[in-house]
Amino acid sequence: MKKIIAPSLLSADLAFLHRDIEMLNGSEADWFHIDIMDSSFVSNISFGFMFTKYVKKYAYKPIDVHLMILEPERYIEKFKNCGADHLHVHYEACIHLNRTIFSIKEYGMKVGVAINPHTPVFLLQDIIKYLDFVLLMSVNPGFGGQKFIHQTYKKLEQTKDLILKKDSSALIEVDGGINLENACLLFKNGADILVAGTAIFSHSNPRKIIHIMKKGT
Ligand code: DX5
Ligand code: ZN
């Protein structure tokens, strides 16, 4: 268990983005999580290449890009050029997932596969060995501020089992509805990385929330 915190910029104050990036640089947060949405895979539009490039320019920590877009293989090279260090694609959005995973690796990025709350973990059995991360969605993707889906605990257990069974070194990332109530338990149950937006940015002292999520006090 690594206890990595990846704040989601979806909940940052975009009018003060540079201020929020500096806040995260000076915090105990480990990565910057950027949610890319295309209005097809999810019913929302968020950020794109320019945003990612801007964050990369000022962030001192790895850029964790979560693509909630159909056929993400079209944009692997572009996101590499914008500064993505990690690229997550959705299982549900890729027809040739094996090829997409290896293409991301060839571009020198770490690769994660995200699964929606309804997608069973066993579907990752033939690819988990090649992954750096499994991204378990603990809300239906598309929006910040949603309620954590409790079934994620079961999926966490199933993912840990599959990682062991397949001799994979993938880390488990959980995304959506993470707050001070569930963060500690998720880490205890085997999550390595937690993505949180609302819980961090809606608080008057985001650094304190990050500290408590990481250290538990
Ligand atoms: C949801 C995104 C999340 C989102 C999390 O589709 O993938 O990264 O920003 O936000 P909260 O923490 O508010 O649920
Ligand atoms: Zn995300």
Side-chain angles (χ1 to χ4, degrees):
M1 184 224 304
K2 299 264 184 210
K3 284 200 166 193
I4 288 169
I5 301 290
S8 165
L9 292 174
L10 195 61
S11 301
D13 186 342
L14 296 189
F16 295 94
L17 180 60
H18 186 254
R19 180 202 65 188
D20 283 355
I21 292 172
E22 287 301 337
M23 180 278 291
L24 293 177
N25 278 334
S27 77
E28 291 170 71
D30 299 277
W31 301 345
F32 287 73
H33 184 86
I34 301 184
D35 290 300
I36 309 289
M37 306 176 187
D38 66 351
S39 92
S40 296
F41 182 68
V42 292
S43 53
N44 198 0
I45 301 177
S46 60
F47 313 128
F49 307 122
M50 293 299 289
F51 182 88
T52 307
K53 224 172 164 170
Y54 182 81
V55 174
K56 180 69 177 180
K57 191 171 168 190
Y58 295 104
Y60 302 151
K61 301 174 183 186
I63 308 295
D64 189 57
V65 175
H66 176 193
L67 297 181
M68 283 162 273
I69 64 177
L70 293 177
E71 299 171 18
E73 63 278 5
R74 292 173 294 163
Y75 300 114
I76 294 170
E77 186 176 5
K78 280 215 155 193
F79 278 104
K80 171 66 186 175
N81 294 338
C82 290
D85 296 290
H86 313 153
L87 204 59
H88 300 272
V89 295
H90 266 263
Y91 176 90
E92 305 85 1
C94 297
I95 297 175
H96 300 291
L97 184 56
N98 180 289
R99 189 158 66 202
T100 302
I101 290 166
F102 281 98
S103 173
I104 294 170
K105 283 171 176 276
E106 274 161 28
Y107 276 98
M109 293 178 281
K110 289 192 171 176
V111 59
V113 169
I115 55 171
N116 280 336
H118 71 272
T119 301
V121 170
F122 75 82
L123 290 173
L124 301 179
Q125 65 188 5
D126 292 337
I127 50 148
I128 200 158
K129 181 107 181 76
Y130 313 120
L131 301 181
D132 297 294
F133 315 111
V134 171
L135 180 54
L136 296 178
M137 289 309 300
S138 41
V139 297
N140 286 294
F143 300 89
Q146 302 182 75
K147 195 175 174 307
F148 180 84
I149 296 174
H150 197 268
Q151 194 207 7
T152 309
Y153 288 107
K154 185 86 204 142
K155 293 179 88 168
L156 199 47
E157 206 181 307
Q158 292 165 345
T159 309
K160 276 196 303 178
D161 288 349
L162 191 61
I163 285 171
L164 275 176
K165 193 171 150 206
K166 296 290 179 178
D167 198 22
S168 163
S169 52
L171 299 178
I172 309 176
E173 186 163 344
V174 182
D175 184 2
I178 311 288
N179 53 38
L180 289 185
E181 277 83 66
N182 54 25
C184 185
L185 197 56
L186 285 163
F187 276 140
K188 262 193 200 138
N189 281 268
D192 298 291
I193 304 134
L194 297 181
V195 176
T198 307
I200 291 174
F201 288 100
S202 68
H203 196 272
S204 57
N205 190 348
R207 286 186 206 203
K208 190 173 159 194
I209 301 299
I210 294 166
H211 174 81
I212 299 172
M213 279 183 173
K214 255 184 109 76
K215 308 278 192 259
T217 51

